[in-house]
Each structure stands twice: as C-alpha cells, then as structure tokens.
C-alpha cells in the first residue's frame, strides 16, 4: 500500500511504536500506532447483521467527523450474500460525494482476497482514504472491511502496518 498517493501534507515524525488492539468480541486484531490510543471495539449493526468492529485514532470523534485526523476501522462478520465488491460499491456511493475516486485494484495478502478502492482530496483536503474488502483466501467467512484515513506520510507507514497485521476470525 506504500504507493498511496500523498500530496502536500504535514511532515510529521514517523510513528515509532505500535500496539495490537482487539475488538470487544475477540474476532479482530490489528496493529495501530501507539499514538492512536482512542479505541472503540464495540460491535456494530450493518444491514441487520451484528458484526465485529474496531476503530482506532488519536481522536475518534475527529476521525469520524473531519478529514484531518487519521484512523482506522476494521469490521468483520458473516454477512450472507454480500461480496467484497458490493461493500466497496456501497462505500463508493458515500465517499464518492466528498472524495475523488482513484480506482479499484485487486487485493491479496496470502490470507485474504478481495479488492481495494483509493480516494483522494477528501473533503477538499489532502486526505487519502483507502477501503479494503476481502474474504479469507479459501472463500469462507468472515468478510472483512478495512478503512484507513491517511493525512501524512507517516500514516502511509501506519497503513502498511495495518494491512500487514489485521486478522479476523
């Protein structure tokens, strides 16, 4: 994911330490920068199904309401009849009104197979937003969605670590 397009943005020191966070159900784990200490692992309801969910940022309220605070959301669940492409299409409907869609690429990391979409210029800022939707390589459940907001070069490094570390059971 290091090829995420970054335009001008704040030059900040790299994140030097990471911590593994786990959602409240114990289904999801992911490494995030230690600076992203505001964590919520409460399950969410999506389309009538309850799915495991974890969110992390330096400020979850700002992450949820602005394009200036980086963070991550990882959701995983057994959602019958839903494909990774449908998840990405649904996100595009929402994100496409505030971000510039850059395209969809295949995603595989050895454990998961799916696709990812990249968005730039979110909310008129330099923010980049990446959404991955995938299933285990064997085609089983759970379906996993990973969303990461990138605001600086160091967030691209965090994105790489998130992608290399997320696991959902």
């Amino acid at each position: 994911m290091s090829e995420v397009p970054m335009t001008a943005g704040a030059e900040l020191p790299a994140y030097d330490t990471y911590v593994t966070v786990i959602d409240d159900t114990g289904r999801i784990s992911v490494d995030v920068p230690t600076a992203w200490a505001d964590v919520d692992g409460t399950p969410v309801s999506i389309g009538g199904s309850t799915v495991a969910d974890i969110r992390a940022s330096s400020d979850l309220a700002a992450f949820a309401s602005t394009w200036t605070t980086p963070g991550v959301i990882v959701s995983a669940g057994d959602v019958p009849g839903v494909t990774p492409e449908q998840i990405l299409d649904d996100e595009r409907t929402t994100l496409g009104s505030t971000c510039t869609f850059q395209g969809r690429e295949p995603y595989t990391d050895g454990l998961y197979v799916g696709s990812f979409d990249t968005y730039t210029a979110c909310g008129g800022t330099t923010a980049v937003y990446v959404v991955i939707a995938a299933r285990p390589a064997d085609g089983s459940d759970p379906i996993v969605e990973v969303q990461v907001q990138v605001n600086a070069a160091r967030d691209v490094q965090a994105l790489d670590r998130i992608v290399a570390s997320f696991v959902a059971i």
Side-chain angles (χ1 to χ4, degrees):
M1 295 277 151
S2 295
E3 66 276 358
V4 168
M6 277 306 307
T7 57
E11 281 300 320
L12 301 168
Y15 297 112
D16 54 357
T17 59
Y18 287 78
V19 62
T20 302
V21 294
I22 301 170
D23 76 294
D24 293 354
T25 69
R27 291 189 73 184
I28 302 169
S29 67
V30 63
D31 292 353
V32 299
T34 304
W36 294 6
D38 196 357
V39 177
D40 182 358
T42 307
V44 296
S45 179
I46 298 174
S49 297
T50 300
V51 299
D53 186 84
I54 191 157
R55 297 158 190 252
S57 175
S58 60
D59 181 338
L60 281 175
F63 170 57
S65 63
T66 73
W67 291 108
T68 58
T69 303
V72 63
I73 302 168
V74 181
S75 305
D78 306 332
V79 186
V82 175
T83 68
E85 289 71 25
Q86 288 171 317
I87 290 172
L88 293 174
D89 290 345
D90 288 348
E91 293 294 354
R92 187 172 178 190
T93 299
T94 303
L95 292 168
S97 64
T98 58
C99 302
T100 302
F101 178 67
Q102 295 299 310
R104 181 167 296 169
E105 300 289 331
Y107 176 82
T108 184
D109 63 12
L111 292 176
Y112 299 95
V113 175
S115 299
F116 73 95
D117 289 353
T118 304
Y119 299 85
T120 59
C122 295
T125 71
T126 60
V128 175
Y129 205 80
V130 176
V131 183
I132 300 167
R135 285 195 182 280
D138 67 4
S140 65
D141 283 325
I143 196 163
V144 182
E145 180 181 17
V146 180
Q147 302 176 59
V148 183
Q149 183 169 304
V150 174
N151 293 93
R154 71 181 187 168
D155 301 327
V156 176
Q157 295 168 344
L159 170 64
D160 287 344
R161 180 74 172 258
I162 289 164
V163 170
S165 68
F166 79 88
V167 177
I169 56 171

